[in-house]
Amino acid sequence: MSDLGDWFRSIPLITRYWFAGSIAVPLVGKLGLVSPVSLFLWPDAFIHRFQIWRPITATFFFPVGPGTGFLYLVNLYFLYQYSSRLETGAFDGRPADYMFMLLFNWICIVVSFCSSPNFEKCFDSSLLMIPLIMSVLYVWAQLNRDMIVSFWFGTRFKACYLPWVILGFNYIIGGSVINELIGNLVGHLYFFLMFKYPMDLGGRNFLSTPQFLYRWLPNRRGGVSGFGVPPASMRRAAEDQQGGGRHNWGQGFRLGDQ
């Protein structure tokens, strides 16, 4: 048990709490301590009955059973792998910026699930676990888009294709792509507004981390607050160093590396 405890404590802070919640809440529902029906996101109950906990519990809950257990474990693995890699990679020393990314993606997912008047017809699920995981995975894949990753059966391809490969994989084992598609679209929205548009296209920065998150989760090792357009001198130096090519967003990993 000490080895398991050491491994758990080695997980980056934000990912650790997200990972633990994604185990604890499904376990509570599985044991019947809380009715699983109260953990789903039902827009009518959330908006009109003020059951404000539902978007939060729906982010962590997953109905684990004989037909869904494998899908749950696969996505729990993706959560651990790619959230850890983002938190210790592109967001290293910037926990507030990483928390802001999760909150932005989460809010977009909640809005997309609640905005349709025919929610039950448009979405086959009222759980947010898979969309949020897929949004994080998409951001990681874009920051490491040119890296070669390995998937099952020895297939190898660029990381930028990984979210769409996993979308197809989850369709095979779960029979749906709506949740994965929403996650990919939300991840693309965050990546475009935070990285692509201001840094590569020279546009204004529409997203910035609120100051209260920096007070709650201060930067470590002298990290700068937030992301945005670097000063012109830094942009020219970076372009000279990289030969005027695209930004080197981060270090890549092979799928399954620890």
Side-chain angles (χ1 to χ4, degrees), residues 7 17-30 57-81 127-130 133 152 166 169-170 173-175 179-180:
W7 168 79
Y17 282 103
W18 185 11
F19 185 82
S22 298
I23 293 177
V25 175
L27 183 61
V28 167
K30 184 69 173 179
T57 56
T59 303
F60 297 101
F61 180 67
F62 196 88
V64 181
T68 60
F70 181 67
L71 180 63
Y72 167 73
L73 291 176
V74 167
N75 283 277
L76 196 65
Y77 168 81
F78 291 150
L79 186 164
Y80 164 72
Q81 285 287 346
L127 301 173
L128 311 183
M129 179 181 180
I130 291 179
I133 293 172
W152 285 18
I166 291 178
F169 175 77
N170 279 0
I173 64 176
N179 291 327
E180 291 80 0

Side-chain angles (χ1 to χ4, degrees), residues 86 90-91 94 97 101 139-140 142-143 187-207 226-230 247 249-250:
L86 268 185
F91 293 89
R94 300 185 178 97
D97 292 319
M101 185 201 74
V139 173
W140 178 89
Q142 293 304 312
L143 293 175
H188 179 77
L189 177 63
Y190 172 84
F191 176 78
F192 181 82
L193 293 178
M194 182 62 81
F195 293 103
K196 186 72 176 178
Y197 184 65
M199 293 186 178
D200 276 358
L201 303 179
R204 60 174 296 187
N205 193 353
F206 289 100
L207 299 179
F227 299 95
V229 181
H247 288 283
W249 294 115

Side-chain angles (χ1 to χ4, degrees), residues 206-225:
F206 289 100
L207 299 179
S208 60
T209 304
Q211 288 300 315
F212 78 88
L213 286 178
Y214 289 119
R215 291 191 293 269
W216 181 34
L217 298 167
N219 289 333
R220 302 186 301 272
R221 296 185 294 176
V224 297
S225 296

